[in-house]
Amino acid sequence: MRFLRDPYAMLAGQHARFGDTFTLRVVGVGTLVMVSDPEGIRDIVTAPPDVLAAGRARGILDVIYGTRSLLTLDGGGQAWQRRFLMPLFHRSHIAHGQQLALEATREAMATWPADRPFPLVPRLMSITTDILVQKFLKADRHTSLRVKELLLAFIEAAHQPLVFHLPQFPPALAVGPWRRYGRTRDRLDTCLRELCATRRTSPRTTDDDLVTALLRADGPNGAPLDDETLRDILVVVLGSGAETVTYSLAWAMEAVLAHQEAADRARAELRHVTEGSPLTVDHLPRLPYLMAAVTEALRLYPINPIVLRRVLGPGFTVAGFPLPAGVHVAVNGCGAHRRAVTYPDPCRFRPERWLGKGPAPYTWVPFGGGARKCIAAHFAVHELQAMAASLLLEENLRLVSPAVSPGRLVGDMIVPSEGTIVTCTPRTP
Ligand code: HEM
């Protein structure tokens, strides 16, 4: 219950009380061993897949992403998808992602209300979905808008706590939130199936969109991918990609805007680099303070602070404790990021600590680690920086609350409890 009410406070409190390694017994999960020290984290994320499983440990996410995407799979199918998708997030794609991020953020900000406070999170979600739909589907405007609308409605329905935690309500009896979940899922799945069917019957000459590339691919056993797998992959890339970036950016904006000194410094850096001209992708590598602020926000507010693995067989030992098969072991991102030996004054938001240096191995884990680390980590950090730059250039974007909010749980992610309420008054000439 404490985790639901204030997840960061609960995790930080447990770490302060019990140290780097402790056991929680969690309803619905069972025994969960939490680990925060770099050696323990290394042992977890480098364990072979036949010793620790990641996909099945994330079974709670089947309700959104199905059972056939790399997020929830283990084994050959997962490895194939990872190899297939990783190049799409390669460094060479970062500038294009940032370009889309700058354009989408600028366009959206022009429509934001000027006369009243509003929650930033839904607005950011709309932008991050636009970016991914544009980047990966390359569909016409009508189809892009439809996919976006159906995806956001489905994710919202799946995140209703009753549905997310008790998804197995019999379809025949489905009422209320389960009914809405079923309906929104059917609509989204039909739309994605139609999109795949159209690309099958009218193939494109290039395969620079994800659907065409997936349709042309030989899957893990040499056969084309089935429709369910295609659906699950598309929902992971578009859905998880949009949510994670949205919530991480909301935390970064809360952290920067709640610390006047940090906001002033980030804005001064932006003004200095852009010299009054419109912000472009070329300016972004020259914003080290802003990148440090994003890195620091990901440290203090990792949206997935519990990176889970499931012990498959005997033989896995962490911090000297052999763990039996069936228990869960987790990288405790919140504990790892608040260790005073790693981060002096660990609870303070201090972007300066990252200027001129990166994290030591296994001490900064907002994207997990090892062979199951987030496939888009590098890409996402740069997208976050581009969007934050665009938002901060608007001098009159202000946080309504004087301090960073507590978090609340949405699905398996931690988001600012009120959705980051801001005002954005037009600048006086
Ligand atoms: C700031 C944004 C993001 C954060 C904080 C984040 C965080 C994470 C975390 C903690 C994991 C689990 C890693 C592990 O178990 O070791 C993960 C995995 C994953 N993420 Fe991200 N992520 C972000 C952005 C994205 C984006 C933009 C995409 C795709 C468009 C994406 C796709 C995935 C996928 C497919 C996996 C599963 C990889 C596998 O199991 O092999 N993520 N992410």
Side-chain angles (χ1 to χ4, degrees):
M1 292 308 290
R2 283 184 55 210
F3 185 67
L4 293 182
R5 272 204 308 272
D6 192 347
Y8 290 131
M10 180 268 187
L11 288 173
Q14 299 273 16
H15 181 250
R17 186 167 169 205
F18 298 119
D20 280 334
T21 314
F22 59 88
T23 299
L24 293 175
R25 299 191 202 280
V26 186
V27 183
V29 176
T31 301
L32 170 58
V33 178
M34 303 282 280
V35 178
S36 304
D37 65 297
E39 295 75 30
I41 292 176
R42 181 202 55 214
D43 292 347
I44 294 173
V45 300
T46 58
D50 57 344
V51 174
L52 294 186
R56 281 304 75 209
R58 303 177 188 143
I60 194 170
L61 299 176
D62 291 355
V63 62
I64 303 179
Y65 306 115
T67 52
R68 300 179 189 221
S69 81
L70 75 166
L71 197 65
T72 51
L73 265 181
D74 294 301
Q78 182 273 335
W80 181 89
Q81 287 185 31
R82 204 176 158 93
R83 272 198 310 278
F84 185 87
L85 292 175
M86 288 283 287
L88 306 178
F89 300 98
H90 183 259
R91 282 168 196 272
S92 55
H93 291 281
I94 285 177
H96 179 230
Q98 287 185 319
Q99 179 67 38
L100 291 173
L102 289 183
E103 284 164 13
T105 312
R106 204 174 291 139
E107 198 179 306
M109 284 177 84
T111 68
W112 289 359
D115 52 349
R116 60 185 159 86
F118 60 92
L120 195 56
V121 164
R123 311 257 168 190
L124 297 183
M125 186 74 101
S126 169
I127 304 174
T128 55
T129 318
D130 278 337
I131 297 169
L132 291 167
V133 168
Q134 278 190 54
K135 178 163 172 51
F136 290 112
L137 296 192
K138 301 204 164 60
D140 59 69
R141 195 170 165 73
H142 172 77
T143 312
S144 300
L145 278 175
R146 181 146 179 77
V147 172
K148 170 180 165 180
E149 194 184 292
L150 295 176
L151 183 72
L152 293 180
F154 166 65
I155 288 177
E156 203 198 327
H159 276 159
Q160 292 309 306
L162 277 173
V163 174
F164 190 76
H165 294 287
L166 296 170
Q168 303 305 348
F169 206 75
L173 300 177
V175 289
W178 289 279
R179 184 144 175 249
R180 203 168 146 244
Y181 165 73
R183 272 210 203 136
T184 53
R185 183 178 174 131
D186 287 348
R187 284 193 196 133
L188 173 66
D189 291 4
T190 307
C191 174
L192 294 177
R193 242 192 332 269
E194 284 169 4
L195 181 65
C196 293
T198 313
R199 299 262 159 110
R200 259 194 205 105
T201 47
S202 335
R204 296 190 153 192
T205 42
T206 58
D207 61 358
D208 66 347
D209 72 283
L210 181 58
V211 177
T212 305
L214 286 168
L215 288 172
R216 288 188 182 161
D218 294 325
N221 37 29
L225 299 172
D226 58 67
D227 280 359
E228 285 75 22
T229 306
L230 285 170
R231 179 266 177 211
D232 288 357
I233 296 176
L234 291 174
V235 176
V236 161
V237 170
L238 302 177
S240 83
E243 283 194 288
T244 48
V245 173
T246 294
Y247 301 144
S248 300
L249 183 59
W251 283 118
M253 294 311 292
E254 291 230 1
V256 172
L257 295 175
H259 294 84
Q260 194 59 48
E261 238 182 273
D264 289 348
R265 194 162 166 190
R267 283 175 166 145
E269 183 184 67
L270 271 160
R271 277 194 304 271
H272 174 73
V273 167
T274 53
E275 295 173 328
S277 59
L279 178 68
T280 68
V281 169
D282 295 336
H283 294 127
L284 298 173
R286 290 184 278 139
L287 299 170
Y289 184 80
L290 186 58
M291 188 53 107
V294 167
T295 311
E296 179 71 343
L298 287 163
R299 178 185 75 84
L300 276 178
Y301 309 104
I303 55 158
N304 290 118
I306 301 180
V307 176
L308 270 183
R309 300 287 186 267
R310 189 181 164 85
V311 181
L312 293 181
F316 183 70
T317 297
V318 74
F321 300 103
L323 303 188
V327 307
H328 285 87
V329 59
V331 172
N332 175 359
C334 208
H337 294 174
R338 290 172 195 233
R339 292 176 93 229
V341 283
T342 318
Y343 297 106
D345 203 358
C347 296
R348 266 189 65 204
F349 179 72
R350 277 205 317 118
E352 303 74 29
R353 69 173 91 236
W354 297 106
L355 289 174
K357 64 170 185 228
Y362 309 111
T363 57
W364 185 78
V365 283
F367 297 98
R372 299 300 294 261
K373 183 177 172 176
C374 178
I375 55 169
H378 203 62
F379 182 90
V381 167
H382 286 83
E383 184 183 345
L384 284 174
Q385 192 218 20
M387 290 179 74
S390 219
L391 294 169
L392 285 168
L393 260 183
E394 180 48 71
E395 299 272 342
N396 288 344
L397 183 69
R398 301 214 193 291
L399 203 58
V400 167
S401 142
V404 177
S405 348
R408 76 182 167 90
L409 217 56
V410 170
D412 68 330
M413 283 166 287
I414 303 179
V415 308
S417 56
E418 303 298 325
T420 309
I421 311 287
V422 294
T423 53
C424 191
T425 49
R427 269 185 261 186
T428 43

Coordinates of all heavy atoms in Angstrom, one line a residue, residues 124-176:
L124 N 2.3 15.7 -23.4 CA 3.5 15.1 -23.8 C 3.3 13.7 -24.5 O 3.9 13.3 -25.4 CB 4.4 14.9 -22.6 CG 4.9 16.2 -21.9 CD1 5.9 15.8 -20.8 CD2 5.6 17.1 -22.9
M125 N 2.3 13.0 -23.9 CA 1.9 11.7 -24.5 C 1.5 11.8 -25.9 O 1.9 11.0 -26.8 CB 0.8 11.1 -23.6 CG 0.5 9.7 -24.0 SD 1.8 8.6 -23.5 CE 1.0 7.9 -22.1
S126 N 0.8 12.9 -26.2 CA 0.3 13.1 -27.6 C 1.5 13.4 -28.5 O 1.7 12.8 -29.6 CB -0.6 14.3 -27.6 OG -0.9 14.7 -28.9
I127 N 2.5 14.2 -28.0 CA 3.7 14.5 -28.8 C 4.5 13.2 -29.0 O 5.0 12.9 -30.2 CB 4.6 15.5 -28.2 CG1 3.8 16.8 -27.9 CG2 5.8 15.9 -29.0 CD1 4.5 17.9 -27.1
T128 N 4.8 12.5 -27.9 CA 5.7 11.3 -28.1 C 5.1 10.2 -29.0 O 5.8 9.5 -29.7 CB 6.1 10.7 -26.7 OG1 4.9 10.4 -26.0 CG2 6.9 11.6 -25.9
T129 N 3.7 10.1 -28.9 CA 3.1 9.1 -29.8 C 3.2 9.6 -31.3 O 3.5 8.8 -32.2 CB 1.6 9.0 -29.5 OG1 1.5 8.9 -28.1 CG2 1.0 7.7 -30.1
D130 N 3.0 10.9 -31.5 CA 3.2 11.4 -32.9 C 4.6 11.1 -33.4 O 4.7 10.7 -34.6 CB 3.0 13.0 -32.9 CG 1.6 13.4 -32.9 OD1 0.7 12.6 -33.3 OD2 1.3 14.6 -32.5
I131 N 5.6 11.3 -32.6 CA 7.0 11.1 -33.0 C 7.1 9.6 -33.5 O 7.7 9.4 -34.6 CB 8.0 11.5 -31.9 CG1 7.9 12.9 -31.5 CG2 9.4 11.1 -32.3 CD1 8.6 13.3 -30.3
L132 N 6.7 8.7 -32.6 CA 6.9 7.3 -32.9 C 6.1 6.8 -34.1 O 6.5 6.1 -35.0 CB 6.6 6.4 -31.7 CG 7.6 6.6 -30.6 CD1 7.1 6.0 -29.3 CD2 9.0 6.0 -30.9
V133 N 4.8 7.3 -34.2 CA 4.0 6.9 -35.3 C 4.6 7.4 -36.6 O 4.7 6.7 -37.6 CB 2.5 7.4 -35.1 CG1 1.7 7.3 -36.4 CG2 1.8 6.7 -34.0
Q134 N 5.1 8.7 -36.6 CA 5.7 9.2 -37.8 C 6.9 8.5 -38.2 O 7.2 8.2 -39.3 CB 6.1 10.7 -37.6 CG 5.0 11.7 -37.8 CD 5.5 13.1 -37.7 OE1 6.4 13.4 -38.5 NE2 5.0 13.9 -36.9
K135 N 7.8 8.2 -37.2 CA 9.1 7.6 -37.4 C 8.9 6.1 -37.9 O 9.6 5.7 -38.9 CB 9.9 7.6 -36.2 CG 11.3 6.9 -36.4 CD 12.3 7.3 -35.3 CE 13.5 6.4 -35.4 NZ 14.1 6.4 -36.8
F136 N 8.0 5.4 -37.3 CA 7.9 4.0 -37.6 C 6.9 3.5 -38.6 O 7.0 2.5 -39.3 CB 7.8 3.2 -36.3 CG 9.1 3.2 -35.5 CD1 9.1 3.9 -34.3 CD2 10.2 2.6 -36.0 CE1 10.3 4.0 -33.6 CE2 11.4 2.7 -35.3 CZ 11.5 3.4 -34.1
L137 N 5.7 4.3 -38.7 CA 4.7 3.8 -39.6 C 4.8 4.4 -41.0 O 4.4 3.8 -42.0 CB 3.3 4.0 -39.0 CG 3.0 3.2 -37.7 CD1 1.5 3.3 -37.4 CD2 3.4 1.8 -37.8
K138 N 5.2 5.7 -41.0 CA 5.2 6.4 -42.3 C 3.9 6.3 -43.0 O 3.9 6.0 -44.2 CB 6.4 6.0 -43.1 CG 7.7 6.2 -42.4 CD 8.9 6.4 -43.3 CE 10.1 7.0 -42.7 NZ 10.7 6.2 -41.6
A139 N 2.8 6.5 -42.3 CA 1.5 6.3 -42.9 C 0.9 7.7 -43.3 O 1.5 8.7 -42.9 CB 0.5 5.6 -42.0
D140 N -0.2 7.7 -44.0 CA -0.8 9.0 -44.3 C -1.4 9.6 -43.0 O -1.5 9.0 -42.0 CB -1.9 8.9 -45.4 CG -3.0 7.9 -44.9 OD1 -3.7 8.3 -44.0 OD2 -3.0 6.8 -45.4
R141 N -1.7 10.9 -43.1 CA -2.1 11.7 -41.9 C -3.3 11.0 -41.2 O -3.4 10.8 -40.0 CB -2.4 13.1 -42.3 CG -2.5 14.0 -41.1 CD -2.5 15.5 -41.5 NE -3.0 16.3 -40.4 CZ -2.2 16.6 -39.3 NH1 -1.0 16.1 -39.2 NH2 -2.7 17.3 -38.3
H142 N -4.3 10.6 -42.0 CA -5.5 10.0 -41.5 C -5.2 8.8 -40.7 O -5.6 8.6 -39.5 CB -6.5 9.8 -42.6 CG -7.7 9.0 -42.2 ND1 -8.7 9.6 -41.5 CD2 -8.1 7.7 -42.3 CE1 -9.7 8.7 -41.2 NE2 -9.3 7.5 -41.7
T143 N -4.5 7.8 -41.3 CA -4.1 6.6 -40.6 C -3.3 6.8 -39.4 O -3.5 6.2 -38.3 CB -3.3 5.7 -41.6 OG1 -4.0 5.6 -42.8 CG2 -3.1 4.3 -41.1
S144 N -2.3 7.8 -39.5 CA -1.5 8.1 -38.3 C -2.3 8.5 -37.1 O -2.1 8.1 -36.0 CB -0.4 9.2 -38.7 OG 0.4 8.7 -39.7
L145 N -3.3 9.4 -37.4 CA -4.1 10.0 -36.4 C -5.0 8.9 -35.8 O -5.2 8.8 -34.5 CB -5.0 11.1 -36.9 CG -4.3 12.5 -37.0 CD1 -5.3 13.5 -37.6 CD2 -3.9 12.9 -35.6
R146 N -5.5 8.0 -36.6 CA -6.3 6.9 -36.1 C -5.5 6.0 -35.2 O -6.0 5.6 -34.2 CB -6.9 6.2 -37.3 CG -7.8 5.1 -37.0 CD -9.0 4.9 -37.9 NE -9.8 3.8 -37.5 CZ -10.7 3.9 -36.5 NH1 -10.8 5.0 -35.8 NH2 -11.4 2.8 -36.1
V147 N -4.3 5.6 -35.7 CA -3.5 4.7 -34.9 C -3.2 5.3 -33.5 O -3.4 4.7 -32.5 CB -2.2 4.3 -35.6 CG1 -1.3 3.5 -34.6 CG2 -2.5 3.5 -36.8
K148 N -2.9 6.6 -33.6 CA -2.5 7.3 -32.3 C -3.7 7.3 -31.4 O -3.6 7.0 -30.2 CB -2.1 8.7 -32.7 CG -2.0 9.6 -31.5 CD -1.6 11.0 -31.9 CE -1.8 12.0 -30.8 NZ -1.4 13.4 -31.2
E149 N -4.9 7.7 -31.9 CA -6.1 7.8 -31.1 C -6.4 6.4 -30.4 O -6.7 6.3 -29.2 CB -7.2 8.2 -32.0 CG -8.5 8.7 -31.4 CD -9.4 9.0 -32.6 OE1 -9.2 10.0 -33.3 OE2 -10.4 8.3 -32.7
L150 N -6.4 5.4 -31.2 CA -6.8 4.1 -30.7 C -5.7 3.5 -29.7 O -6.1 2.9 -28.7 CB -6.9 3.1 -31.9 CG -8.1 3.4 -32.9 CD1 -8.1 2.4 -34.0 CD2 -9.4 3.3 -32.2
L151 N -4.5 3.8 -30.0 CA -3.4 3.4 -29.1 C -3.6 4.0 -27.7 O -3.5 3.4 -26.7 CB -2.1 3.7 -29.7 CG -0.8 3.3 -29.0 CD1 -0.7 1.7 -29.1 CD2 0.4 3.9 -29.5
L152 N -3.8 5.3 -27.7 CA -3.9 6.0 -26.5 C -5.1 5.6 -25.7 O -5.1 5.4 -24.5 CB -3.9 7.6 -26.7 CG -2.5 8.1 -27.2 CD1 -2.6 9.6 -27.4 CD2 -1.4 7.8 -26.3
A153 N -6.2 5.4 -26.4 CA -7.4 4.9 -25.7 C -7.2 3.5 -25.1 O -7.6 3.2 -24.0 CB -8.6 4.9 -26.7
F154 N -6.5 2.7 -25.9 CA -6.3 1.3 -25.4 C -5.3 1.3 -24.2 O -5.6 0.6 -23.1 CB -5.6 0.5 -26.5 CG -5.0 -0.8 -26.0 CD1 -5.8 -1.8 -25.5 CD2 -3.6 -1.0 -26.1 CE1 -5.3 -3.0 -25.0 CE2 -3.1 -2.2 -25.6 CZ -3.9 -3.2 -25.1
I155 N -4.3 2.1 -24.2 CA -3.3 2.1 -23.1 C -4.0 2.6 -21.8 O -3.9 2.1 -20.7 CB -2.1 3.0 -23.5 CG1 -1.2 2.2 -24.5 CG2 -1.3 3.3 -22.2 CD1 0.0 3.0 -25.0
E156 N -4.8 3.6 -22.0 CA -5.5 4.2 -20.9 C -6.5 3.1 -20.3 O -6.5 2.9 -19.0 CB -6.3 5.4 -21.3 CG -6.6 6.3 -20.1 CD -7.7 7.3 -20.3 OE1 -7.9 7.7 -21.5 OE2 -8.5 7.6 -19.4
A157 N -7.2 2.4 -21.1 CA -8.1 1.4 -20.6 C -7.3 0.2 -19.9 O -7.8 -0.3 -18.9 CB -8.9 0.8 -21.8
A158 N -6.2 -0.1 -20.5 CA -5.4 -1.2 -19.9 C -4.8 -0.9 -18.6 O -4.5 -1.7 -17.8 CB -4.3 -1.7 -20.9
H159 N -4.6 0.4 -18.4 CA -3.9 0.9 -17.1 C -4.9 1.1 -16.0 O -4.5 1.4 -14.9 CB -3.2 2.2 -17.4 CG -1.8 2.0 -17.9 ND1 -1.1 3.0 -18.6 CD2 -1.0 0.9 -17.9 CE1 0.0 2.5 -19.0 NE2 0.1 1.2 -18.6
Q160 N -6.2 0.9 -16.2 CA -7.1 1.0 -15.1 C -6.7 -0.1 -14.1 O -6.5 -1.3 -14.5 CB -8.6 0.7 -15.5 CG -9.1 1.8 -16.4 CD -9.0 3.1 -15.8 OE1 -9.4 3.4 -14.7 NE2 -8.4 4.1 -16.5
P161 N -6.5 0.3 -12.8 CA -5.9 -0.7 -11.9 C -6.5 -2.1 -11.9 O -5.9 -3.1 -11.8 CB -6.0 0.0 -10.5 CG -6.0 1.5 -10.9 CD -6.7 1.6 -12.2
L162 N -7.9 -2.1 -11.9 CA -8.6 -3.4 -11.9 C -8.2 -4.3 -13.1 O -7.9 -5.4 -13.0 CB -10.1 -3.2 -11.9 CG -10.7 -2.9 -10.5 CD1 -12.2 -2.5 -10.7 CD2 -10.6 -4.1 -9.6
V163 N -8.1 -3.6 -14.3 CA -7.8 -4.4 -15.5 C -6.4 -4.8 -15.5 O -6.0 -6.0 -15.7 CB -8.1 -3.5 -16.7 CG1 -7.6 -4.2 -18.0 CG2 -9.6 -3.1 -16.8
F164 N -5.5 -3.9 -15.1 CA -4.0 -4.1 -15.1 C -3.7 -5.3 -14.2 O -2.9 -6.1 -14.5 CB -3.3 -2.9 -14.8 CG -1.8 -3.0 -15.0 CD1 -1.3 -2.9 -16.3 CD2 -0.9 -3.2 -14.0 CE1 0.1 -3.1 -16.6 CE2 0.5 -3.4 -14.2 CZ 0.9 -3.3 -15.5
H165 N -4.3 -5.3 -13.0 CA -3.9 -6.3 -12.0 C -4.8 -7.6 -12.1 O -4.4 -8.6 -11.6 CB -3.9 -5.7 -10.6 CG -2.8 -4.7 -10.5 ND1 -1.5 -5.0 -10.4 CD2 -2.9 -3.3 -10.5 CE1 -0.8 -3.8 -10.3 NE2 -1.6 -2.8 -10.4
L166 N -6.0 -7.5 -12.7 CA -6.8 -8.7 -12.8 C -7.3 -8.8 -14.2 O -8.5 -8.7 -14.5 CB -8.0 -8.5 -11.9 CG -7.8 -8.5 -10.4 CD1 -9.1 -8.1 -9.6 CD2 -7.3 -9.9 -9.9
P167 N -6.4 -9.0 -15.2 CA -6.8 -8.9 -16.6 C -7.7 -10.1 -17.0 O -8.3 -10.1 -18.0 CB -5.5 -8.9 -17.3 CG -4.5 -9.5 -16.4 CD -5.0 -9.3 -15.0
Q168 N -7.7 -11.2 -16.2 CA -8.3 -12.4 -16.7 C -9.8 -12.5 -16.5 O -10.3 -13.6 -16.3 CB -7.6 -13.7 -16.0 CG -6.1 -13.8 -16.2 CD -5.7 -13.7 -17.7 OE1 -6.5 -13.9 -18.6 NE2 -4.4 -13.5 -17.9
F169 N -10.5 -11.4 -16.4 CA -11.9 -11.4 -16.2 C -12.5 -12.1 -17.5 O -12.2 -11.8 -18.6 CB -12.4 -10.0 -16.2 CG -13.7 -9.8 -15.4 CD1 -13.7 -9.9 -14.0 CD2 -14.9 -9.6 -16.1 CE1 -14.9 -9.7 -13.3 CE2 -16.0 -9.4 -15.4 CZ -16.0 -9.5 -14.0
P170 N -13.4 -13.1 -17.3 CA -13.9 -13.9 -18.4 C -14.6 -12.9 -19.4 O -15.4 -12.1 -19.0 CB -14.9 -14.8 -17.8 CG -14.7 -14.8 -16.4 CD -14.0 -13.6 -16.0
P171 N -14.2 -13.0 -20.7 CA -14.7 -12.1 -21.7 C -16.3 -12.0 -21.7 O -16.9 -10.9 -21.8 CB -14.2 -12.6 -23.0 CG -13.1 -13.5 -22.7 CD -13.3 -14.0 -21.3
A172 N -16.9 -13.2 -21.5 CA -18.4 -13.2 -21.5 C -19.0 -12.3 -20.4 O -20.1 -11.8 -20.6 CB -18.9 -14.6 -21.4
L173 N -18.3 -12.2 -19.3 CA -18.8 -11.5 -18.2 C -18.3 -10.0 -18.1 O -18.6 -9.3 -17.2 CB -18.5 -12.2 -16.9 CG -19.0 -13.6 -16.7 CD1 -18.5 -14.2 -15.4 CD2 -20.5 -13.6 -16.7
A174 N -17.4 -9.7 -19.1 CA -16.7 -8.5 -19.0 C -17.6 -7.3 -18.9 O -18.5 -7.1 -19.7 CB -15.8 -8.3 -20.2
V175 N -17.5 -6.5 -17.8 CA -18.3 -5.3 -17.6 C -17.3 -4.2 -17.3 O -16.2 -4.4 -17.0 CB -19.3 -5.5 -16.4 CG1 -20.4 -6.4 -16.8 CG2 -18.5 -5.9 -15.2
G176 N -17.9 -3.0 -17.3 CA -17.1 -1.8 -16.8 C -15.8 -1.7 -17.4 O -15.6 -1.7 -18.7

